Amino acid sequence: MIVSIVTDWFKRSNKSERLWLLAKIEFKLRYYENKLGLLWALIKPLMDIAIYYVVFQIIMKQDTPQFASYLFIGLICWNFFLESTTGTVQILNTKKYLYEYSNMNKLEIYVSTLLSNSIGFFFNFVMFLLFFNFVERGPDHSNLQTLWLLPLFVNLYILSLATSLIISNIYVIAKDVTQIWQVFTQVLFFLSPILYPLNKFKDALPNFDYLNPLGGIIINARQTSMYGVSPDFKLFFFDFGYAILLLIFGMFLLNKLGSKAAEKL
């Protein structure tokens, strides 16, 4: 049944054009009524960085080199995951009109929503590269390793899509998942190496980077973009494995529970 969902989606015509159009519309609508418009896509992570920088670098005297960039890349990855998952918990309800009154596959709704978030991600990532390369970059940095960020983002996208499928389909039968997910993401934030030096994180939570796929993505994103070294391939393949397994489970739930969403929500 999972294969039939994917096959049905690939058989449809004009998939890429429709997905990209929906993604652009959603991205624009998100900031349409704000005075600063699309600048909010940049201001949000910058405000987060400013707050954490003051707390950890100035008040707590964090000794991590290039700490602003260290925070920046971590928060970009975290915010993409958070927005993609919390923003899709009720997607089968809020966008019911798309799969009830059009020929859209439910999977397309998820994909287009995450594509919309991807626009903001790449906008912020360009700002990170400009800041790091012109403000905090070290003299021995190699730009070639930065290309590893493309497969790392694919990993992050699949992980976010899989998680979105799981929690939004559980929402069909258990509305409490919204509150549970809010608490879980708060815990996950502080159990990810976003604010702390990597050595302290590993000392406090040995091998936890292999249990937290989001943490592994952040670690490898920093290694490739900031330190100019290849990713930890063992961690890289672990994270991809987690993402694929979760995606299969999410597709299973979409088939079992998503088909009943229109009548239950």
Side-chain angles (χ1 to χ4, degrees), residues 56 60 62-64 67 70-71 186-202 204-205 218-219 222 227:
F56 286 88
M60 299 181 66
Q62 181 67 262
D63 58 355
T64 303
F67 188 63
Y70 186 89
L71 270 178
Q186 290 178 5
V187 174
L188 184 63
F189 177 81
F190 289 103
L191 291 180
S192 299
I194 298 172
L195 304 175
Y196 333 108
L198 184 57
N199 59 339
K200 291 184 179 179
F201 177 80
K202 288 189 173 184
L205 298 169
I218 292 172
I219 290 170
R222 284 176 176 144
Y227 307 131

PDB file of all heavy atoms in Angstrom, residues 56 60 62-64 67 70-71 186-202 204-205 218-219 222 227:
ATOM      1  N   PHE A  56      25.248  32.703  26.542  1.00  0.00           N
ATOM      2  CA  PHE A  56      26.297  31.696  26.623  1.00  0.00           C
ATOM      3  C   PHE A  56      27.701  32.254  26.399  1.00  0.00           C
ATOM      4  O   PHE A  56      28.665  31.726  26.958  1.00  0.00           O
ATOM      5  CB  PHE A  56      26.024  30.563  25.623  1.00  0.00           C
ATOM      6  CG  PHE A  56      24.910  29.658  26.044  1.00  0.00           C
ATOM      7  CD1 PHE A  56      23.594  29.941  25.717  1.00  0.00           C
ATOM      8  CD2 PHE A  56      25.167  28.527  26.797  1.00  0.00           C
ATOM      9  CE1 PHE A  56      22.563  29.102  26.112  1.00  0.00           C
ATOM     10  CE2 PHE A  56      24.146  27.690  27.205  1.00  0.00           C
ATOM     11  CZ  PHE A  56      22.839  27.980  26.874  1.00  0.00           C
ATOM     12  N   MET A  60      27.876  33.523  30.384  1.00  0.00           N
ATOM     13  CA  MET A  60      28.453  32.263  30.846  1.00  0.00           C
ATOM     14  C   MET A  60      29.877  32.034  30.329  1.00  0.00           C
ATOM     15  O   MET A  60      30.485  30.994  30.626  1.00  0.00           O
ATOM     16  CB  MET A  60      27.550  31.098  30.434  1.00  0.00           C
ATOM     17  CG  MET A  60      26.160  31.176  31.030  1.00  0.00           C
ATOM     18  SD  MET A  60      25.103  29.773  30.557  1.00  0.00           S
ATOM     19  CE  MET A  60      25.956  28.439  31.381  1.00  0.00           C
ATOM     20  N   GLN A  62      31.260  31.302  27.364  1.00  0.00           N
ATOM     21  CA  GLN A  62      31.480  30.125  26.528  1.00  0.00           C
ATOM     22  C   GLN A  62      32.765  30.312  25.734  1.00  0.00           C
ATOM     23  O   GLN A  62      33.008  31.383  25.179  1.00  0.00           O
ATOM     24  CB  GLN A  62      30.288  29.945  25.591  1.00  0.00           C
ATOM     25  CG  GLN A  62      30.361  28.751  24.687  1.00  0.00           C
ATOM     26  CD  GLN A  62      30.266  27.465  25.458  1.00  0.00           C
ATOM     27  OE1 GLN A  62      31.294  26.865  25.739  1.00  0.00           O
ATOM     28  NE2 GLN A  62      29.066  27.040  25.807  1.00  0.00           N
ATOM     29  N   ASP A  63      33.609  29.266  25.680  1.00  0.00           N
ATOM     30  CA  ASP A  63      34.909  29.402  25.023  1.00  0.00           C
ATOM     31  C   ASP A  63      34.955  28.764  23.635  1.00  0.00           C
ATOM     32  O   ASP A  63      36.026  28.470  23.109  1.00  0.00           O
ATOM     33  CB  ASP A  63      36.012  28.781  25.899  1.00  0.00           C
ATOM     34  CG  ASP A  63      35.743  27.310  26.208  1.00  0.00           C
ATOM     35  OD1 ASP A  63      34.673  26.814  25.822  1.00  0.00           O
ATOM     36  OD2 ASP A  63      36.620  26.681  26.839  1.00  0.00           O
ATOM     37  N   THR A  64      33.796  28.546  23.012  1.00  0.00           N
ATOM     38  CA  THR A  64      33.758  27.941  21.677  1.00  0.00           C
ATOM     39  C   THR A  64      34.228  28.945  20.624  1.00  0.00           C
ATOM     40  O   THR A  64      33.682  30.045  20.543  1.00  0.00           O
ATOM     41  CB  THR A  64      32.327  27.488  21.333  1.00  0.00           C
ATOM     42  OG1 THR A  64      31.873  26.578  22.333  1.00  0.00           O
ATOM     43  CG2 THR A  64      32.294  26.810  19.972  1.00  0.00           C
ATOM     44  N   PHE A  67      31.802  31.376  17.868  1.00  0.00           N
ATOM     45  CA  PHE A  67      30.573  30.917  18.508  1.00  0.00           C
ATOM     46  C   PHE A  67      29.314  31.415  17.803  1.00  0.00           C
ATOM     47  O   PHE A  67      28.310  30.709  17.749  1.00  0.00           O
ATOM     48  CB  PHE A  67      30.544  31.351  19.977  1.00  0.00           C
ATOM     49  CG  PHE A  67      29.412  30.762  20.764  1.00  0.00           C
ATOM     50  CD1 PHE A  67      29.325  29.395  20.945  1.00  0.00           C
ATOM     51  CD2 PHE A  67      28.419  31.568  21.311  1.00  0.00           C
ATOM     52  CE1 PHE A  67      28.276  28.831  21.662  1.00  0.00           C
ATOM     53  CE2 PHE A  67      27.373  31.014  22.027  1.00  0.00           C
ATOM     54  CZ  PHE A  67      27.301  29.645  22.206  1.00  0.00           C
ATOM     55  N   TYR A  70      28.793  29.166  14.965  1.00  0.00           N
ATOM     56  CA  TYR A  70      28.472  27.865  15.548  1.00  0.00           C
ATOM     57  C   TYR A  70      26.990  27.799  15.908  1.00  0.00           C
ATOM     58  O   TYR A  70      26.309  26.809  15.637  1.00  0.00           O
ATOM     59  CB  TYR A  70      29.346  27.680  16.794  1.00  0.00           C
ATOM     60  CG  TYR A  70      29.275  26.331  17.458  1.00  0.00           C
ATOM     61  CD1 TYR A  70      30.118  25.295  17.068  1.00  0.00           C
ATOM     62  CD2 TYR A  70      28.391  26.082  18.506  1.00  0.00           C
ATOM     63  CE1 TYR A  70      30.081  24.055  17.686  1.00  0.00           C
ATOM     64  CE2 TYR A  70      28.339  24.848  19.132  1.00  0.00           C
ATOM     65  CZ  TYR A  70      29.193  23.840  18.719  1.00  0.00           C
ATOM     66  OH  TYR A  70      29.148  22.618  19.335  1.00  0.00           O
ATOM     67  N   LEU A  71      26.494  28.874  16.504  1.00  0.00           N
ATOM     68  CA  LEU A  71      25.072  28.962  16.833  1.00  0.00           C
ATOM     69  C   LEU A  71      24.218  29.068  15.577  1.00  0.00           C
ATOM     70  O   LEU A  71      23.176  28.427  15.464  1.00  0.00           O
ATOM     71  CB  LEU A  71      24.813  30.192  17.711  1.00  0.00           C
ATOM     72  CG  LEU A  71      24.890  30.049  19.217  1.00  0.00           C
ATOM     73  CD1 LEU A  71      24.653  31.404  19.872  1.00  0.00           C
ATOM     74  CD2 LEU A  71      23.866  29.043  19.726  1.00  0.00           C
ATOM     75  N   GLN A 186      11.011  20.755  23.033  1.00  0.00           N
ATOM     76  CA  GLN A 186      11.789  21.508  24.019  1.00  0.00           C
ATOM     77  C   GLN A 186      12.901  20.646  24.602  1.00  0.00           C
ATOM     78  O   GLN A 186      14.038  21.102  24.771  1.00  0.00           O
ATOM     79  CB  GLN A 186      10.871  22.021  25.130  1.00  0.00           C
ATOM     80  CG  GLN A 186       9.914  23.117  24.690  1.00  0.00           C
ATOM     81  CD  GLN A 186       8.987  23.559  25.811  1.00  0.00           C
ATOM     82  OE1 GLN A 186       9.111  23.131  26.945  1.00  0.00           O
ATOM     83  NE2 GLN A 186       8.037  24.419  25.484  1.00  0.00           N
ATOM     84  N   VAL A 187      12.553  19.400  24.910  1.00  0.00           N
ATOM     85  CA  VAL A 187      13.557  18.466  25.427  1.00  0.00           C
ATOM     86  C   VAL A 187      14.615  18.182  24.359  1.00  0.00           C
ATOM     87  O   VAL A 187      15.826  18.195  24.641  1.00  0.00           O
ATOM     88  CB  VAL A 187      12.889  17.150  25.880  1.00  0.00           C
ATOM     89  CG1 VAL A 187      13.947  16.118  26.290  1.00  0.00           C
ATOM     90  CG2 VAL A 187      11.924  17.406  27.035  1.00  0.00           C
ATOM     91  N   LEU A 188      14.174  17.946  23.122  1.00  0.00           N
ATOM     92  CA  LEU A 188      15.095  17.631  22.032  1.00  0.00           C
ATOM     93  C   LEU A 188      16.062  18.781  21.767  1.00  0.00           C
ATOM     94  O   LEU A 188      17.237  18.550  21.460  1.00  0.00           O
ATOM     95  CB  LEU A 188      14.302  17.314  20.760  1.00  0.00           C
ATOM     96  CG  LEU A 188      15.122  16.866  19.549  1.00  0.00           C
ATOM     97  CD1 LEU A 188      15.839  15.558  19.847  1.00  0.00           C
ATOM     98  CD2 LEU A 188      14.219  16.712  18.320  1.00  0.00           C
ATOM     99  N   PHE A 189      15.583  20.016  21.907  1.00  0.00           N
ATOM    100  CA  PHE A 189      16.450  21.179  21.679  1.00  0.00           C
ATOM    101  C   PHE A 189      17.649  21.155  22.628  1.00  0.00           C
ATOM    102  O   PHE A 189      18.802  21.371  22.212  1.00  0.00           O
ATOM    103  CB  PHE A 189      15.654  22.472  21.875  1.00  0.00           C
ATOM    104  CG  PHE A 189      16.480  23.723  21.723  1.00  0.00           C
ATOM    105  CD1 PHE A 189      16.774  24.221  20.471  1.00  0.00           C
ATOM    106  CD2 PHE A 189      16.964  24.393  22.831  1.00  0.00           C
ATOM    107  CE1 PHE A 189      17.541  25.376  20.317  1.00  0.00           C
ATOM    108  CE2 PHE A 189      17.727  25.544  22.700  1.00  0.00           C
ATOM    109  CZ  PHE A 189      18.018  26.031  21.437  1.00  0.00           C
ATOM    110  N   PHE A 190      17.389  20.876  23.888  1.00  0.00           N
ATOM    111  CA  PHE A 190      18.472  20.892  24.871  1.00  0.00           C
ATOM    112  C   PHE A 190      19.270  19.587  24.886  1.00  0.00           C
ATOM    113  O   PHE A 190      20.315  19.513  25.542  1.00  0.00           O
ATOM    114  CB  PHE A 190      17.915  21.190  26.266  1.00  0.00           C
ATOM    115  CG  PHE A 190      17.456  22.611  26.417  1.00  0.00           C
ATOM    116  CD1 PHE A 190      16.110  22.930  26.390  1.00  0.00           C
ATOM    117  CD2 PHE A 190      18.375  23.635  26.548  1.00  0.00           C
ATOM    118  CE1 PHE A 190      15.684  24.252  26.506  1.00  0.00           C
ATOM    119  CE2 PHE A 190      17.966  24.958  26.665  1.00  0.00           C
ATOM    120  CZ  PHE A 190      16.615  25.273  26.651  1.00  0.00           C
ATOM    121  N   LEU A 191      18.788  18.571  24.176  1.00  0.00           N
ATOM    122  CA  LEU A 191      19.552  17.328  24.033  1.00  0.00           C
ATOM    123  C   LEU A 191      20.239  17.256  22.676  1.00  0.00           C
ATOM    124  O   LEU A 191      20.699  16.190  22.265  1.00  0.00           O
ATOM    125  CB  LEU A 191      18.631  16.115  24.216  1.00  0.00           C
ATOM    126  CG  LEU A 191      18.091  15.883  25.629  1.00  0.00           C
ATOM    127  CD1 LEU A 191      17.199  14.651  25.671  1.00  0.00           C
ATOM    128  CD2 LEU A 191      19.229  15.745  26.638  1.00  0.00           C
ATOM    129  N   SER A 192      20.285  18.381  21.974  1.00  0.00           N
ATOM    130  CA  SER A 192      20.997  18.481  20.705  1.00  0.00           C
ATOM    131  C   SER A 192      22.181  19.426  20.886  1.00  0.00           C
ATOM    132  O   SER A 192      22.109  20.375  21.677  1.00  0.00           O
ATOM    133  CB  SER A 192      20.065  19.007  19.599  1.00  0.00           C
ATOM    134  OG  SER A 192      18.966  18.140  19.404  1.00  0.00           O
ATOM    135  N   PRO A 193      23.275  19.199  20.159  1.00  0.00           N
ATOM    136  CA  PRO A 193      24.471  20.040  20.325  1.00  0.00           C
ATOM    137  C   PRO A 193      24.348  21.386  19.621  1.00  0.00           C
ATOM    138  O   PRO A 193      25.122  21.715  18.716  1.00  0.00           O
ATOM    139  CB  PRO A 193      25.570  19.179  19.702  1.00  0.00           C
ATOM    140  CG  PRO A 193      24.860  18.404  18.645  1.00  0.00           C
ATOM    141  CD  PRO A 193      23.489  18.112  19.189  1.00  0.00           C
ATOM    142  N   ILE A 194      23.357  22.161  20.030  1.00  0.00           N
ATOM    143  CA  ILE A 194      23.126  23.471  19.418  1.00  0.00           C
ATOM    144  C   ILE A 194      23.845  24.562  20.195  1.00  0.00           C
ATOM    145  O   ILE A 194      24.513  25.426  19.628  1.00  0.00           O
ATOM    146  CB  ILE A 194      21.614  23.775  19.342  1.00  0.00           C
ATOM    147  CG1 ILE A 194      20.913  22.732  18.464  1.00  0.00           C
ATOM    148  CG2 ILE A 194      21.366  25.182  18.790  1.00  0.00           C
ATOM    149  CD1 ILE A 194      19.403  22.828  18.471  1.00  0.00           C
ATOM    150  N   LEU A 195      23.739  24.510  21.513  1.00  0.00           N
ATOM    151  CA  LEU A 195      24.280  25.566  22.375  1.00  0.00           C
ATOM    152  C   LEU A 195      25.638  25.214  22.977  1.00  0.00           C
ATOM    153  O   LEU A 195      26.358  26.103  23.411  1.00  0.00           O
ATOM    154  CB  LEU A 195      23.298  25.861  23.515  1.00  0.00           C
ATOM    155  CG  LEU A 195      21.874  26.234  23.121  1.00  0.00           C
ATOM    156  CD1 LEU A 195      21.007  26.360  24.362  1.00  0.00           C
ATOM    157  CD2 LEU A 195      21.847  27.527  22.327  1.00  0.00           C
ATOM    158  N   TYR A 196      25.963  23.928  23.007  1.00  0.00           N
ATOM    159  CA  TYR A 196      27.153  23.504  23.754  1.00  0.00           C
ATOM    160  C   TYR A 196      28.291  23.116  22.820  1.00  0.00           C
ATOM    161  O   TYR A 196      28.053  22.675  21.694  1.00  0.00           O
ATOM    162  CB  TYR A 196      26.847  22.291  24.648  1.00  0.00           C
ATOM    163  CG  TYR A 196      25.417  22.187  25.089  1.00  0.00           C
ATOM    164  CD1 TYR A 196      24.572  21.209  24.575  1.00  0.00           C
ATOM    165  CD2 TYR A 196      24.900  23.079  26.031  1.00  0.00           C
ATOM    166  CE1 TYR A 196      23.256  21.109  24.978  1.00  0.00           C
ATOM    167  CE2 TYR A 196      23.583  22.985  26.436  1.00  0.00           C
ATOM    168  CZ  TYR A 196      22.758  21.997  25.908  1.00  0.00           C
ATOM    169  OH  TYR A 196      21.461  21.901  26.306  1.00  0.00           O
ATOM    170  N   PRO A 197      29.536  23.218  23.305  1.00  0.00           N
ATOM    171  CA  PRO A 197      30.676  22.691  22.543  1.00  0.00           C
ATOM    172  C   PRO A 197      30.517  21.189  22.355  1.00  0.00           C
ATOM    173  O   PRO A 197      30.015  20.489  23.236  1.00  0.00           O
ATOM    174  CB  PRO A 197      31.884  23.010  23.433  1.00  0.00           C
ATOM    175  CG  PRO A 197      31.425  24.103  24.345  1.00  0.00           C
ATOM    176  CD  PRO A 197      29.961  23.885  24.553  1.00  0.00           C
ATOM    177  N   LEU A 198      30.957  20.681  21.234  1.00  0.00           N
ATOM    178  CA  LEU A 198      30.750  19.276  20.902  1.00  0.00           C
ATOM    179  C   LEU A 198      31.422  18.347  21.905  1.00  0.00           C
ATOM    180  O   LEU A 198      30.858  17.305  22.267  1.00  0.00           O
ATOM    181  CB  LEU A 198      31.274  18.985  19.489  1.00  0.00           C
ATOM    182  CG  LEU A 198      31.049  17.568  18.964  1.00  0.00           C
ATOM    183  CD1 LEU A 198      29.574  17.208  18.976  1.00  0.00           C
ATOM    184  CD2 LEU A 198      31.631  17.430  17.561  1.00  0.00           C
ATOM    185  N   ASN A 199      32.619  18.709  22.376  1.00  0.00           N
ATOM    186  CA  ASN A 199      33.312  17.826  23.315  1.00  0.00           C
ATOM    187  C   ASN A 199      32.554  17.696  24.630  1.00  0.00           C
ATOM    188  O   ASN A 199      32.468  16.611  25.215  1.00  0.00           O
ATOM    189  CB  ASN A 199      34.743  18.309  23.554  1.00  0.00           C
ATOM    190  CG  ASN A 199      34.798  19.728  24.105  1.00  0.00           C
ATOM    191  OD1 ASN A 199      33.857  20.500  23.967  1.00  0.00           O
ATOM    192  ND2 ASN A 199      35.906  20.081  24.739  1.00  0.00           N
ATOM    193  N   LYS A 200      31.968  18.796  25.106  1.00  0.00           N
ATOM    194  CA  LYS A 200      31.180  18.736  26.340  1.00  0.00           C
ATOM    195  C   LYS A 200      29.905  17.926  26.131  1.00  0.00           C
ATOM    196  O   LYS A 200      29.471  17.186  27.019  1.00  0.00           O
ATOM    197  CB  LYS A 200      30.835  20.151  26.814  1.00  0.00           C
ATOM    198  CG  LYS A 200      32.026  20.945  27.301  1.00  0.00           C
ATOM    199  CD  LYS A 200      31.609  22.311  27.842  1.00  0.00           C
ATOM    200  CE  LYS A 200      32.833  23.085  28.342  1.00  0.00           C
ATOM    201  NZ  LYS A 200      32.444  24.433  28.847  1.00  0.00           N
ATOM    202  N   PHE A 201      29.297  18.074  24.956  1.00  0.00           N
ATOM    203  CA  PHE A 201      28.087  17.316  24.635  1.00  0.00           C
ATOM    204  C   PHE A 201      28.374  15.822  24.636  1.00  0.00           C
ATOM    205  O   PHE A 201      27.630  15.026  25.215  1.00  0.00           O
ATOM    206  CB  PHE A 201      27.545  17.765  23.276  1.00  0.00           C
ATOM    207  CG  PHE A 201      26.343  17.000  22.803  1.00  0.00           C
ATOM    208  CD1 PHE A 201      25.082  17.292  23.288  1.00  0.00           C
ATOM    209  CD2 PHE A 201      26.467  15.971  21.864  1.00  0.00           C
ATOM    210  CE1 PHE A 201      23.961  16.591  22.856  1.00  0.00           C
ATOM    211  CE2 PHE A 201      25.356  15.263  21.428  1.00  0.00           C
ATOM    212  CZ  PHE A 201      24.105  15.580  21.926  1.00  0.00           C
ATOM    213  N   LYS A 202      29.499  15.421  24.008  1.00  0.00           N
ATOM    214  CA  LYS A 202      29.839  14.003  23.935  1.00  0.00           C
ATOM    215  C   LYS A 202      30.262  13.452  25.284  1.00  0.00           C
ATOM    216  O   LYS A 202      30.015  12.280  25.594  1.00  0.00           O
ATOM    217  CB  LYS A 202      30.936  13.781  22.900  1.00  0.00           C
ATOM    218  CG  LYS A 202      30.453  13.950  21.464  1.00  0.00           C
ATOM    219  CD  LYS A 202      31.508  13.519  20.471  1.00  0.00           C
ATOM    220  CE  LYS A 202      30.965  13.521  19.050  1.00  0.00           C
ATOM    221  NZ  LYS A 202      31.939  13.019  18.062  1.00  0.00           N
ATOM    222  N   ALA A 204      29.103  14.498  28.200  1.00  0.00           N
ATOM    223  CA  ALA A 204      27.910  14.396  29.038  1.00  0.00           C
ATOM    224  C   ALA A 204      26.969  13.302  28.547  1.00  0.00           C
ATOM    225  O   ALA A 204      26.326  12.615  29.353  1.00  0.00           O
ATOM    226  CB  ALA A 204      27.179  15.738  29.076  1.00  0.00           C
ATOM    227  N   LEU A 205      26.882  13.141  27.218  1.00  0.00           N
ATOM    228  CA  LEU A 205      25.961  12.160  26.630  1.00  0.00           C
ATOM    229  C   LEU A 205      26.718  11.298  25.621  1.00  0.00           C
ATOM    230  O   LEU A 205      26.596  11.489  24.412  1.00  0.00           O
ATOM    231  CB  LEU A 205      24.788  12.871  25.943  1.00  0.00           C
ATOM    232  CG  LEU A 205      23.886  13.733  26.834  1.00  0.00           C
ATOM    233  CD1 LEU A 205      22.954  14.578  25.983  1.00  0.00           C
ATOM    234  CD2 LEU A 205      23.079  12.853  27.788  1.00  0.00           C
ATOM    235  N   ILE A 218      23.445  18.253  12.598  1.00  0.00           N
ATOM    236  CA  ILE A 218      24.032  19.527  13.017  1.00  0.00           C
ATOM    237  C   ILE A 218      25.541  19.401  13.170  1.00  0.00           C
ATOM    238  O   ILE A 218      26.304  20.289  12.755  1.00  0.00           O
ATOM    239  CB  ILE A 218      23.382  20.002  14.332  1.00  0.00           C
ATOM    240  CG1 ILE A 218      21.917  20.374  14.090  1.00  0.00           C
ATOM    241  CG2 ILE A 218      24.144  21.185  14.929  1.00  0.00           C
ATOM    242  CD1 ILE A 218      21.137  20.680  15.357  1.00  0.00           C
ATOM    243  N   ILE A 219      25.991  18.297  13.760  1.00  0.00           N
ATOM    244  CA  ILE A 219      27.429  18.074  13.938  1.00  0.00           C
ATOM    245  C   ILE A 219      28.138  18.045  12.590  1.00  0.00           C
ATOM    246  O   ILE A 219      29.165  18.718  12.380  1.00  0.00           O
ATOM    247  CB  ILE A 219      27.680  16.761  14.705  1.00  0.00           C
ATOM    248  CG1 ILE A 219      27.246  16.894  16.163  1.00  0.00           C
ATOM    249  CG2 ILE A 219      29.158  16.359  14.633  1.00  0.00           C
ATOM    250  CD1 ILE A 219      27.232  15.590  16.933  1.00  0.00           C
ATOM    251  N   ARG A 222      28.302  21.470  10.774  1.00  0.00           N
ATOM    252  CA  ARG A 222      29.376  22.332  11.290  1.00  0.00           C
ATOM    253  C   ARG A 222      30.749  21.874  10.800  1.00  0.00           C
ATOM    254  O   ARG A 222      31.589  22.700  10.436  1.00  0.00           O
ATOM    255  CB  ARG A 222      29.342  22.343  12.816  1.00  0.00           C
ATOM    256  CG  ARG A 222      28.220  23.186  13.389  1.00  0.00           C
ATOM    257  CD  ARG A 222      28.183  23.092  14.882  1.00  0.00           C
ATOM    258  NE  ARG A 222      27.175  23.980  15.445  1.00  0.00           N
ATOM    259  CZ  ARG A 222      26.447  23.688  16.509  1.00  0.00           C
ATOM    260  NH1 ARG A 222      26.611  22.530  17.140  1.00  0.00           N
ATOM    261  NH2 ARG A 222      25.558  24.545  16.971  1.00  0.00           N
ATOM    262  N   TYR A 227      34.543  23.959   9.615  1.00  0.00           N
ATOM    263  CA  TYR A 227      35.891  23.452   9.878  1.00  0.00           C
ATOM    264  C   TYR A 227      36.563  22.869   8.645  1.00  0.00           C
ATOM    265  O   TYR A 227      37.718  22.455   8.699  1.00  0.00           O
ATOM    266  CB  TYR A 227      35.840  22.415  11.009  1.00  0.00           C
ATOM    267  CG  TYR A 227      35.147  22.940  12.245  1.00  0.00           C
ATOM    268  CD1 TYR A 227      34.152  22.205  12.871  1.00  0.00           C
ATOM    269  CD2 TYR A 227      35.464  24.198  12.761  1.00  0.00           C
ATOM    270  CE1 TYR A 227      33.494  22.705  13.991  1.00  0.00           C
ATOM    271  CE2 TYR A 227      34.817  24.698  13.877  1.00  0.00           C
ATOM    272  CZ  TYR A 227      33.827  23.952  14.485  1.00  0.00           C
ATOM    273  OH  TYR A 227      33.177  24.461  15.590  1.00  0.00           O
TER     274      TYR A 227
END
